[in-house]
Coordinates of all heavy atoms in Angstrom, one line a residue:
M295 N 17.9 233.4 80.8 CA 18.5 233.6 79.4 C 19.8 233.0 79.4 O 20.6 233.1 80.3 CB 18.5 235.0 79.0 CG 17.2 235.5 78.6 SD 17.0 237.2 78.1 CE 18.3 237.6 77.1
S296 N 20.2 232.4 78.3 CA 21.5 231.8 78.1 C 22.3 232.8 77.3 O 21.8 233.6 76.5 CB 21.4 230.5 77.4 OG 21.0 230.7 76.1
T297 N 23.6 232.7 77.5 CA 24.5 233.6 76.8 C 24.9 233.0 75.4 O 25.5 233.7 74.6 CB 25.8 233.8 77.6 OG1 26.4 232.5 77.8 CG2 25.5 234.5 78.9
E298 N 24.5 231.8 75.1 CA 24.8 231.1 73.8 C 23.7 231.5 72.9 O 22.5 231.7 73.2 CB 24.8 229.6 74.0 CG 25.9 229.1 74.8 CD 26.0 227.6 74.9 OE1 25.6 227.0 73.8 OE2 26.3 227.1 75.9
K299 N 24.1 231.6 71.6 CA 23.1 231.9 70.5 C 23.0 230.7 69.7 O 23.5 230.7 68.5 CB 23.6 233.1 69.7 CG 23.7 234.4 70.6 CD 24.2 235.5 69.8 CE 24.3 236.8 70.6 NZ 24.9 237.9 69.9
S300 N 22.4 229.7 70.1 CA 22.3 228.4 69.4 C 21.4 228.5 68.2 O 21.6 227.7 67.3 CB 21.8 227.3 70.4 OG 20.5 227.6 70.8
D301 N 20.5 229.5 68.2 CA 19.6 229.6 67.0 C 20.2 230.3 65.8 O 19.7 230.4 64.8 CB 18.3 230.2 67.4 CG 18.5 231.5 68.0 OD1 19.6 231.9 68.5 OD2 17.5 232.4 68.0
R302 N 21.4 230.9 66.0 CA 22.1 231.6 64.9 C 23.3 230.8 64.5 O 24.0 230.2 65.3 CB 22.5 233.0 65.4 CG 21.3 233.9 65.8 CD 21.9 235.3 66.1 NE 20.8 236.2 66.5 CZ 21.0 237.4 66.9 NH1 22.2 237.9 67.0 NH2 20.0 238.1 67.1
P303 N 23.6 230.9 63.2 CA 24.8 230.2 62.7 C 26.0 231.0 63.2 O 25.9 232.2 63.5 CB 24.6 230.2 61.2 CG 23.8 231.4 60.9 CD 22.8 231.5 62.1
A304 N 27.1 230.2 63.2 CA 28.4 230.9 63.6 C 28.7 232.0 62.5 O 28.5 231.8 61.4 CB 29.5 229.8 63.7
A305 N 29.2 233.0 63.0 CA 29.6 234.1 62.1 C 30.7 233.7 61.2 O 31.8 233.3 61.7 CB 30.0 235.4 62.9
L306 N 30.5 233.8 59.9 CA 31.6 233.5 59.0 C 32.2 234.7 58.4 O 31.6 235.6 58.1 CB 30.9 232.7 57.8 CG 30.3 231.4 58.1 CD1 29.6 230.8 56.9 CD2 31.2 230.4 58.7
K307 N 33.5 234.7 58.5 CA 34.2 235.9 58.0 C 34.4 235.6 56.5 O 35.0 234.7 56.1 CB 35.6 236.0 58.7 CG 36.3 237.3 58.2 CD 37.5 237.5 59.1 CE 38.1 238.8 58.6 NZ 39.2 239.3 59.4
R308 N 33.8 236.5 55.7 CA 34.0 236.3 54.3 C 35.2 237.1 53.7 O 35.3 238.3 54.1 CB 32.7 236.8 53.6 CG 31.5 236.0 54.0 CD 30.2 236.4 53.3 NE 29.1 235.6 53.8 CZ 28.5 234.7 53.2 NH1 28.8 234.4 52.0 NH2 27.5 234.1 53.7
V309 N 35.9 236.5 52.9 CA 37.1 237.2 52.3 C 36.9 237.2 50.8 O 36.5 236.2 50.2 CB 38.3 236.3 52.7 CG1 39.6 237.0 52.1 CG2 38.5 236.2 54.2
P310 N 37.1 238.3 50.2 CA 37.0 238.3 48.8 C 38.0 237.4 48.0 O 39.1 237.2 48.5 CB 37.3 239.8 48.3 CG 37.9 240.4 49.5 CD 37.6 239.6 50.7
R311 N 37.5 236.8 47.0 CA 38.4 235.9 46.2 C 39.0 236.6 45.1 O 38.4 237.5 44.5 CB 37.5 234.8 45.6 CG 36.9 233.8 46.6 CD 36.2 232.7 46.0 NE 35.2 233.3 45.1 CZ 34.5 232.6 44.2 NH1 34.7 231.4 43.9 NH2 33.6 233.2 43.5
P312 N 40.3 236.4 44.8 CA 40.9 237.0 43.7 C 40.3 236.6 42.4 O 39.8 235.5 42.2 CB 42.4 236.6 43.8 CG 42.4 235.3 44.6 CD 41.2 235.4 45.5
A313 N 40.5 237.5 41.4 CA 39.9 237.2 40.1 C 40.7 236.1 39.4 O 41.8 235.8 39.8 CB 40.0 238.4 39.2
A314 N 40.0 235.4 38.4 CA 40.6 234.3 37.8 C 41.9 234.7 37.1 O 42.9 233.9 36.9 CB 39.7 233.7 36.8
D315 N 41.9 236.0 36.6 CA 43.1 236.5 35.8 C 44.0 237.4 36.7 O 44.7 238.2 36.2 CB 42.7 237.1 34.6 CG 41.8 238.4 34.8 OD1 41.4 238.6 35.9 OD2 41.5 239.1 33.9
N316 N 44.0 237.2 37.9 CA 44.8 238.0 38.8 C 46.2 237.7 38.6 O 46.7 236.6 38.4 CB 44.5 237.6 40.3 CG 45.1 238.6 41.3 OD1 45.4 239.7 41.0 ND2 45.3 238.1 42.5
G317 N 46.9 238.8 38.4 CA 48.4 238.7 38.2 C 48.8 238.6 36.7 O 49.9 238.4 36.4
V318 N 47.8 238.7 35.9 CA 48.0 238.5 34.4 C 48.0 240.0 33.8 O 47.0 240.6 34.0 CB 47.0 237.6 33.7 CG1 47.2 237.6 32.2 CG2 47.1 236.2 34.3
D319 N 49.0 240.3 33.1 CA 49.0 241.7 32.5 C 48.1 241.6 31.3 O 48.3 240.8 30.4 CB 50.5 242.0 32.1 CG 50.5 243.4 31.6 OD1 49.5 244.2 31.7 OD2 51.6 243.9 31.2
P320 N 47.1 242.5 31.2 CA 46.1 242.4 30.1 C 46.7 242.8 28.8 O 46.3 242.4 27.7 CB 45.0 243.4 30.5 CG 45.6 244.3 31.5 CD 46.7 243.5 32.2
V321 N 47.9 243.5 28.8 CA 48.5 243.8 27.5 C 49.2 242.5 26.9 O 49.2 242.4 25.7 CB 49.6 244.9 27.7 CG1 50.3 245.2 26.5 CG2 49.0 246.2 28.3
D322 N 49.6 241.7 27.8 CA 50.3 240.5 27.3 C 49.4 239.3 26.9 O 49.8 238.4 26.2 CB 51.2 240.0 28.3 CG 52.4 240.9 28.6 OD1 52.6 241.8 27.8 OD2 53.0 240.9 29.7
V323 N 48.1 239.4 27.2 CA 47.2 238.3 27.0 C 46.7 238.4 25.5 O 46.4 239.5 25.0 CB 45.9 238.5 27.9 CG1 44.9 237.4 27.6 CG2 46.4 238.4 29.3
V324 N 46.8 237.3 24.9 CA 46.4 237.2 23.5 C 45.0 236.6 23.6 O 44.8 235.6 24.2 CB 47.3 236.2 22.7 CG1 46.8 236.1 21.2 CG2 48.7 236.8 22.7
P325 N 44.0 237.2 22.9 CA 42.6 236.7 23.0 C 42.5 235.3 22.4 O 43.2 235.0 21.4 CB 41.8 237.7 22.2 CG 42.7 238.5 21.4 CD 44.0 238.4 22.1
A326 N 41.8 234.5 23.1 CA 41.6 233.1 22.6 C 40.8 233.1 21.4 O 39.8 233.7 21.2 CB 40.9 232.3 23.7
V327 N 41.3 232.3 20.4 CA 40.7 232.2 19.1 C 39.8 230.9 19.1 O 40.4 229.8 19.5 CB 41.7 232.1 18.0 CG1 41.0 232.0 16.6 CG2 42.5 233.4 18.0
K328 N 38.6 231.0 18.8 CA 37.7 229.9 18.8 C 38.1 229.0 17.6 O 38.3 229.6 16.5 CB 36.2 230.2 18.8 CG 35.7 230.9 20.0 CD 34.3 231.1 19.9 CE 33.7 231.8 21.2 NZ 32.3 232.0 21.1
P329 N 38.1 227.7 17.8 CA 38.4 226.9 16.6 C 37.2 227.0 15.6 O 36.1 227.0 16.0 CB 38.6 225.5 17.2 CG 37.9 225.5 18.5 CD 38.0 226.9 19.0
A330 N 37.6 227.0 14.4 CA 36.5 227.1 13.3 C 35.7 225.8 13.3 O 36.3 224.7 13.2 CB 37.1 227.4 12.0
S331 N 34.4 225.9 13.5 CA 33.6 224.8 13.5 C 33.2 224.5 12.0 O 33.1 225.4 11.2 CB 32.4 224.9 14.3 OG 31.6 226.0 13.8
T332 N 33.0 223.3 11.7 CA 32.6 222.9 10.3 C 31.2 223.3 10.1 O 30.3 222.6 10.8 CB 32.9 221.5 10.0 OG1 32.3 220.7 11.0 CG2 34.4 221.2 10.1
P333 N 30.8 224.1 9.2 CA 29.4 224.5 9.1 C 28.7 223.3 8.3 O 29.3 222.6 7.5 CB 29.4 225.8 8.3 CG 30.7 225.7 7.5 CD 31.7 225.0 8.5
A334 N 27.4 223.3 8.5 CA 26.6 222.3 7.7 C 26.6 222.7 6.3 O 26.5 223.8 6.0 CB 25.2 222.2 8.3
P335 N 26.7 221.7 5.4 CA 26.7 222.1 4.0 C 25.4 222.7 3.6 O 24.3 222.2 3.9 CB 26.9 220.8 3.2 CG 26.7 219.7 4.2 CD 26.8 220.3 5.6
A336 N 25.5 223.9 2.9 CA 24.3 224.6 2.5 C 23.9 224.1 1.1 O 24.7 223.6 0.3 CB 24.5 226.1 2.5
A337 N 22.6 224.3 0.7 CA 22.2 223.9 -0.6 C 23.0 224.6 -1.7 O 23.7 224.0 -2.5 CB 20.7 224.1 -0.8
A338 N 22.8 225.9 -1.8 CA 23.6 226.7 -2.7 C 23.7 228.1 -2.1 O 22.7 228.7 -1.8 CB 22.9 226.7 -4.1
P339 N 24.9 228.6 -2.0 CA 25.0 229.9 -1.4 C 24.4 230.9 -2.4 O 24.8 231.0 -3.6 CB 26.5 230.1 -1.2 CG 27.1 229.2 -2.1 CD 26.2 228.0 -2.2
A340 N 23.5 231.8 -1.9 CA 22.9 232.8 -2.8 C 23.8 234.0 -2.8 O 24.4 234.4 -1.9 CB 21.5 233.2 -2.2
A341 N 23.9 234.5 -4.0 CA 24.8 235.7 -4.2 C 24.0 236.9 -3.7 O 22.8 237.0 -3.9 CB 25.1 235.9 -5.7
P342 N 24.6 237.8 -3.0 CA 23.9 238.9 -2.5 C 23.5 239.8 -3.6 O 24.2 240.1 -4.6 CB 24.9 239.7 -1.6 CG 26.3 239.1 -2.0 CD 26.0 237.8 -2.6
T343 N 22.3 240.3 -3.6 CA 21.7 241.2 -4.6 C 21.7 242.6 -4.1 O 21.9 242.8 -2.8 CB 20.3 240.7 -5.0 OG1 19.5 240.8 -3.8 CG2 20.3 239.4 -5.5
A344 N 21.5 243.5 -4.9 CA 21.4 244.9 -4.5 C 20.3 245.2 -3.5 O 20.4 246.1 -2.7 CB 21.3 245.8 -5.7
S345 N 19.2 244.5 -3.6 CA 18.1 244.7 -2.7 C 18.4 244.1 -1.3 O 17.8 244.5 -0.3 CB 16.8 244.1 -3.3 OG 17.0 242.7 -3.4
T346 N 19.3 243.1 -1.2 CA 19.5 242.5 0.1 C 20.6 243.2 0.9 O 20.7 243.1 2.1 CB 19.8 241.0 0.0 OG1 20.9 240.8 -0.8 CG2 18.5 240.3 -0.5
T347 N 21.6 243.8 0.2 CA 22.7 244.5 0.9 C 22.2 245.8 1.4 O 21.6 246.6 0.7 CB 23.9 244.7 -0.1 OG1 23.5 245.4 -1.2 CG2 24.5 243.3 -0.5
P348 N 22.6 246.1 2.6 CA 22.1 247.4 3.2 C 22.9 248.5 2.6 O 24.1 248.4 2.3 CB 22.5 247.2 4.7 CG 23.5 246.2 4.7 CD 23.3 245.3 3.6
A349 N 22.3 249.6 2.5 CA 23.0 250.8 1.9 C 23.9 251.4 3.0 O 23.6 251.4 4.1 CB 21.9 251.9 1.5
P350 N 25.0 251.9 2.5 CA 26.0 252.5 3.5 C 25.3 253.7 4.1 O 24.7 254.5 3.4 CB 27.2 252.8 2.7 CG 26.8 252.8 1.3 CD 25.6 251.9 1.2
T351 N 25.5 253.9 5.4 CA 24.9 255.0 6.1 C 26.0 255.8 6.8 O 27.1 255.2 7.1 CB 23.9 254.6 7.2 OG1 24.6 253.8 8.1 CG2 22.8 253.8 6.6
K352 N 25.8 257.1 6.9 CA 26.8 257.9 7.6 C 26.7 257.7 9.1 O 25.6 257.4 9.6 CB 26.5 259.4 7.4 CG 26.9 259.9 6.0 CD 26.7 261.4 5.9 CE 27.1 261.9 4.5 NZ 26.9 263.4 4.5
A353 N 27.7 257.8 9.7 CA 27.8 257.6 11.2 C 27.0 258.8 11.8 O 27.2 259.9 11.5 CB 29.1 257.6 11.8
R354 N 26.1 258.5 12.7 CA 25.3 259.5 13.3 C 26.1 260.2 14.4 O 26.8 259.5 15.1 CB 24.0 258.9 13.9 CG 23.0 258.6 12.9 CD 21.7 258.1 13.6 NE 21.4 258.8 14.8 CZ 20.3 258.7 15.5 NH1 19.4 257.8 15.1 NH2 20.1 259.3 16.6
R355 N 25.9 261.5 14.5 CA 26.6 262.2 15.5 C 25.6 262.6 16.6 O 24.5 262.9 16.3 CB 27.3 263.5 14.9 CG 28.4 263.1 14.0 CD 29.2 264.3 13.7 NE 29.8 264.9 14.9 CZ 31.0 265.5 14.9 NH1 31.7 265.6 13.8 NH2 31.5 265.9 16.0
E356 N 26.1 262.6 17.8 CA 25.2 263.0 18.9 C 25.0 264.5 18.8 O 25.9 265.2 18.3 CB 25.9 262.7 20.2 CG 26.0 261.2 20.4 CD 24.6 260.5 20.6 OE1 23.8 261.1 21.2 OE2 24.5 259.4 20.2
P357 N 23.8 265.0 19.2 CA 23.6 266.4 19.2 C 24.6 267.2 20.1 O 25.0 268.3 19.8 CB 22.2 266.6 19.7 CG 21.7 265.3 20.1 CD 22.7 264.3 19.7
T358 N 25.0 266.6 21.2 CA 26.0 267.1 22.1 C 26.9 266.0 22.5 O 26.5 264.8 22.6 CB 25.5 267.8 23.3 OG1 24.7 266.8 24.0 CG2 24.5 269.0 23.0
I359 N 28.2 266.4 22.7 CA 29.2 265.4 23.1 C 29.8 265.8 24.5 O 29.9 267.1 24.7 CB 30.3 265.1 22.1 CG1 31.0 266.4 21.8 CG2 29.7 264.5 20.9 CD1 32.3 266.2 21.1
P360 N 30.1 265.0 25.4 CA 30.7 265.4 26.6 C 32.1 265.9 26.3 O 32.9 265.2 25.6 CB 30.7 264.1 27.4 CG 30.6 263.0 26.5 CD 29.9 263.5 25.3
L361 N 32.4 267.0 26.9 CA 33.7 267.6 26.7 C 34.2 267.9 28.1 O 33.9 269.0 28.7 CB 33.6 268.9 25.9 CG 35.0 269.7 25.7 CD1 36.0 268.8 24.8 CD2 34.8 270.9 24.9
S362 N 35.0 267.1 28.7 CA 35.5 267.3 30.0 C 36.9 267.7 29.9 O 37.8 267.0 29.5 CB 35.4 265.9 30.8 OG 36.0 266.1 32.0
T363 N 37.1 269.0 30.2 CA 38.4 269.6 30.1 C 38.7 270.5 31.2 O 37.7 271.1 31.8 CB 38.6 270.2 28.7 OG1 40.0 270.7 28.6 CG2 37.7 271.4 28.6
R364 N 39.9 270.7 31.5 CA 40.3 271.7 32.6 C 40.7 273.0 31.9 O 41.4 273.0 30.9 CB 41.5 271.1 33.4 CG 41.0 269.8 34.1 CD 42.2 269.3 34.8 NE 41.9 268.0 35.4 CZ 42.1 267.6 36.6 NH1 42.8 268.5 37.4 NH2 41.8 266.5 37.1
V365 N 40.3 274.1 32.5 CA 40.7 275.4 32.1 C 41.4 276.1 33.2 O 41.3 275.8 34.3 CB 39.5 276.2 31.6 CG1 38.8 275.6 30.4 CG2 38.4 276.4 32.7
A366 N 42.2 277.1 32.8 CA 43.0 277.9 33.7 C 42.1 278.7 34.7 O 40.9 279.0 34.3 CB 43.9 278.8 33.0
L367 N 42.6 279.1 35.8 CA 41.8 279.8 36.7 C 41.3 281.1 36.2 O 40.2 281.5 36.4 CB 42.6 280.0 38.0 CG 41.9 280.6 39.2 CD1 40.7 279.9 39.6 CD2 42.8 280.8 40.4
D368 N 42.2 281.8 35.4 CA 41.8 283.1 34.8 C 40.6 282.9 33.9 O 39.7 283.7 33.7 CB 42.9 283.8 34.3 CG 43.5 283.1 33.1 OD1 43.6 281.9 33.1 OD2 44.1 283.7 32.2
V369 N 40.6 281.8 33.1 CA 39.6 281.5 32.1 C 38.3 281.2 32.9 O 37.2 281.6 32.4 CB 40.0 280.3 31.2 CG1 38.9 279.9 30.3 CG2 41.2 280.7 30.4
T370 N 38.3 280.5 34.0 CA 37.2 280.2 34.7 C 36.6 281.5 35.3 O 35.3 281.7 35.3 CB 37.5 279.3 35.9 OG1 38.1 278.1 35.5 CG2 36.3 279.0 36.8
E371 N 37.4 282.5 35.7 CA 36.9 283.8 36.2 C 36.2 284.5 35.0 O 35.2 285.2 35.2 CB 38.1 284.6 36.8 CG 38.6 284.0 38.0 CD 39.9 284.6 38.6 OE1 40.4 285.5 37.9 OE2 40.3 284.3 39.7
I372 N 36.8 284.4 33.8 CA 36.2 285.1 32.6 C 34.8 284.5 32.3 O 33.9 285.2 32.1 CB 37.2 285.0 31.4 CG1 38.4 285.9 31.7 CG2 36.4 285.5 30.2 CD1 39.5 285.6 30.6
L373 N 34.7 283.2 32.4 CA 33.5 282.5 32.1 C 32.5 282.8 33.2 O 31.3 283.1 32.9 CB 33.7 281.0 32.1 CG 34.5 280.4 30.9 CD1 34.8 279.0 31.1 CD2 33.7 280.7 29.6
D374 N 32.9 282.8 34.5 CA 31.9 283.2 35.6 C 31.4 284.6 35.4 O 30.2 284.9 35.6 CB 32.6 283.0 36.9 CG 32.8 281.6 37.3 OD1 32.1 280.7 36.8 OD2 33.7 281.3 38.1
A375 N 32.3 285.6 35.0 CA 31.9 286.9 34.8 C 31.0 287.1 33.7 O 30.0 287.8 33.7 CB 33.2 287.9 34.6
A376 N 31.2 286.4 32.6 CA 30.3 286.4 31.4 C 28.9 285.9 31.7 O 27.9 286.4 31.3 CB 30.9 285.6 30.3
V377 N 28.8 284.9 32.5 CA 27.5 284.3 33.0 C 26.9 285.3 34.0 O 25.7 285.6 33.9 CB 27.7 282.9 33.6 CG1 26.4 282.5 34.3 CG2 28.2 281.9 32.6
A378 N 27.6 285.9 34.9 CA 27.1 286.8 35.9 C 26.6 288.1 35.2 O 25.5 288.7 35.6 CB 28.1 287.2 36.9
E379 N 27.2 288.6 34.2 CA 26.8 289.8 33.4 C 25.7 289.5 32.4 O 25.2 290.4 31.9 CB 28.0 290.4 32.7 CG 29.1 290.9 33.6 CD 30.4 291.2 32.9 OE1 30.4 291.1 31.6 OE2 31.4 291.6 33.6
G380 N 25.3 288.3 32.3 CA 24.3 287.9 31.3 C 24.7 287.9 29.9 O 23.9 287.8 29.0
R381 N 26.0 287.9 29.6 CA 26.5 287.8 28.2 C 26.3 286.4 27.7 O 26.3 286.2 26.5 CB 27.9 288.3 28.1 CG 28.0 289.8 28.3 CD 29.4 290.3 28.1 NE 30.3 289.8 29.1 CZ 31.7 289.8 29.0 NH1 32.2 290.1 27.9 NH2 32.4 289.4 30.0
A382 N 26.3 285.4 28.6 CA 26.1 284.0 28.2 C 25.2 283.4 29.3 O 25.3 283.7 30.5 CB 27.4 283.3 28.1
P383 N 24.3 282.5 28.9 CA 23.4 281.9 29.9 C 24.1 280.9 30.7 O 23.7 280.6 31.9 CB 22.3 281.1 29.0 CG 22.8 281.1 27.6 CD 23.9 282.2 27.5
S384 N 25.2 280.3 30.3 CA 26.0 279.3 31.1 C 27.4 279.3 30.6 O 27.7 279.9 29.6 CB 25.3 277.9 30.9 OG 25.5 277.4 29.6
Q385 N 28.2 278.6 31.3 CA 29.7 278.5 31.0 C 29.8 277.7 29.7 O 30.6 278.1 28.8 CB 30.5 277.8 32.0 CG 30.7 278.7 33.2 CD 31.7 278.0 34.2 OE1 32.0 276.9 34.1 NE2 32.1 278.8 35.2
R386 N 28.9 276.7 29.5 CA 29.0 275.9 28.3 C 28.6 276.7 27.1 O 29.2 276.7 26.1 CB 27.9 274.7 28.4 CG 27.7 274.0 27.1 CD 26.7 272.9 27.3 NE 26.3 272.5 26.0 CZ 25.3 271.6 25.8 NH1 24.7 271.1 26.8 NH2 24.9 271.3 24.7
A387 N 27.6 277.6 27.2 CA 27.1 278.5 26.1 C 28.3 279.5 25.8 O 28.5 279.7 24.6 CB 25.9 279.2 26.5
A388 N 28.9 280.0 26.8 CA 30.0 280.9 26.6 C 31.2 280.2 25.8 O 31.7 280.8 24.9 CB 30.6 281.5 27.9
I389 N 31.5 279.0 26.2 CA 32.6 278.3 25.5 C 32.1 278.0 24.0 O 32.9 278.2 23.1 CB 32.9 277.0 26.2 CG1 33.6 277.3 27.5 CG2 33.8 276.1 25.3 CD1 33.8 276.1 28.4
E390 N 30.9 277.6 23.8 CA 30.4 277.3 22.5 C 30.4 278.6 21.6 O 30.8 278.5 20.4 CB 29.0 276.7 22.5 CG 29.0 275.3 23.0 CD 27.6 274.7 23.2 OE1 26.6 275.5 23.1 OE2 27.4 273.5 23.4
M391 N 30.0 279.7 22.2 CA 30.0 281.0 21.5 C 31.4 281.3 21.1 O 31.7 281.8 19.9 CB 29.4 282.1 22.3 CG 27.9 281.9 22.5 SD 27.0 283.0 23.7 CE 28.0 284.4 23.8
A392 N 32.4 281.2 21.9 CA 33.8 281.5 21.7 C 34.3 280.6 20.6 O 35.0 281.1 19.7 CB 34.6 281.3 22.9
I393 N 34.0 279.3 20.6 CA 34.5 278.4 19.6 C 33.9 278.8 18.2 O 34.6 278.9 17.2 CB 34.2 277.0 19.9 CG1 35.0 276.5 21.1 CG2 34.4 276.1 18.8 CD1 34.7 275.2 21.7
R394 N 32.6 279.1 18.2 CA 32.0 279.5 16.9 C 32.6 280.8 16.4 O 32.8 281.0 15.2 CB 30.5 279.7 17.1 CG 29.8 278.3 17.2 CD 28.3 278.5 17.3 NE 27.7 277.2 17.5 CZ 27.0 276.9 18.6 NH1 26.9 277.7 19.6 NH2 26.5 275.6 18.7
Q395 N 32.9 281.8 17.3 CA 33.4 283.0 16.8 C 34.9 282.9 16.3 O 35.2 283.5 15.3 CB 33.5 284.1 18.0 CG 32.4 284.9 18.1 CD 32.6 286.0 19.2 OE1 33.3 285.8 20.1 NE2 31.9 287.0 19.1
T396 N 35.6 282.0 17.0 CA 37.0 281.8 16.6 C 37.2 280.9 15.3 O 37.9 281.3 14.4 CB 37.8 281.2 17.7 OG1 37.6 282.1 18.9 CG2 39.3 281.1 17.4
W397 N 36.6 279.8 15.3 CA 36.8 278.8 14.3 C 35.5 278.5 13.4 O 35.6 277.6 12.6 CB 37.4 277.5 14.9 CG 38.7 277.6 15.5 CD1 39.9 277.9 14.8 CD2 39.0 277.6 16.8 NE1 40.9 278.0 15.6 CE2 40.4 277.8 17.0 CE3 38.3 277.5 18.0 CZ2 41.1 277.9 18.1 CZ3 39.0 277.5 19.2 CH2 40.3 277.7 19.3
G398 N 34.4 279.1 13.8 CA 33.2 278.7 13.1 C 33.2 279.1 11.6 O 34.0 280.0 11.2
K399 N 32.4 278.6 10.8 CA 32.3 278.8 9.4 C 31.5 280.2 9.3 O 30.5 280.4 10.0 CB 31.6 277.8 8.7 CG 32.3 276.4 8.7 CD 31.5 275.4 7.9 CE 32.3 274.1 8.0 NZ 31.5 273.0 7.4
P400 N 31.9 281.0 8.3 CA 31.1 282.2 8.1 C 29.7 281.9 7.6 O 29.6 281.1 6.8 CB 31.9 283.0 7.1 CG 32.9 282.0 6.5 CD 33.0 280.9 7.4
N401 N 28.8 282.6 8.1 CA 27.4 282.4 7.7 C 27.2 283.0 6.3 O 27.6 284.1 6.1 CB 26.4 283.0 8.7 CG 26.4 282.4 10.0 OD1 26.8 281.2 10.1 ND2 26.1 283.0 11.1
S402 N 26.6 282.3 5.5 CA 26.3 282.8 4.1 C 25.0 283.6 4.0 O 24.0 283.2 4.6 CB 26.3 281.7 3.1 OG 27.5 280.9 3.2

């Protein structure tokens, strides 16, 4: 056996390349504005009618939103105790119950 590895290519050390915008502060960069292209002349621009314009819609809200927040150690202990005693199924449920009790709208 030979000690040479002629059937394998020489090991190439790969070095990461810096990004094209390396060293540029993103706050200082002004976005490039595309030059306005001349559109092809249209026959006659149609005026929008009530049937073609979409009706305004309310922004949909997610049924739940992520609420990542830190609470004090004593609050964590209170939440853990509430869950352990069965007063709330989870810490999230305990927080939601407390918010509804404190700031919730009265039920009619």
Side-chain angles (χ1 to χ4, degrees):
M295 280 179 42
S296 68
T297 59
E298 293 182 35
K299 298 178 182 178
S300 61
D301 57 336
R302 294 184 181 178
L306 300 175
K307 185 171 183 174
R308 297 184 186 250
V309 179
R311 293 182 302 164
D315 61 350
N316 190 24
V318 177
D319 188 5
V321 174
D322 296 336
V323 176
V324 177
V327 178
K328 291 184 178 180
S331 60
T332 56
T343 62
S345 62
T346 60
T347 56
T351 58
K352 285 186 175 181
R354 286 185 35 177
R355 291 190 66 146
E356 293 293 323
T358 59
I359 58 169
L361 177 66
S362 178
T363 186
R364 296 174 186 229
V365 294
L367 186 57
D368 61 327
V369 174
T370 303
E371 292 171 356
I372 293 169
L373 290 171
D374 288 337
V377 172
E379 295 169 2
R381 293 188 286 160
S384 66
Q385 287 186 351
R386 173 184 161 185
I389 292 171
E390 289 176 350
M391 289 169 25
I393 290 172
R394 285 187 184 111
Q395 268 185 337
T396 305
W397 294 289
K399 294 179 183 176
N401 294 334
S402 302

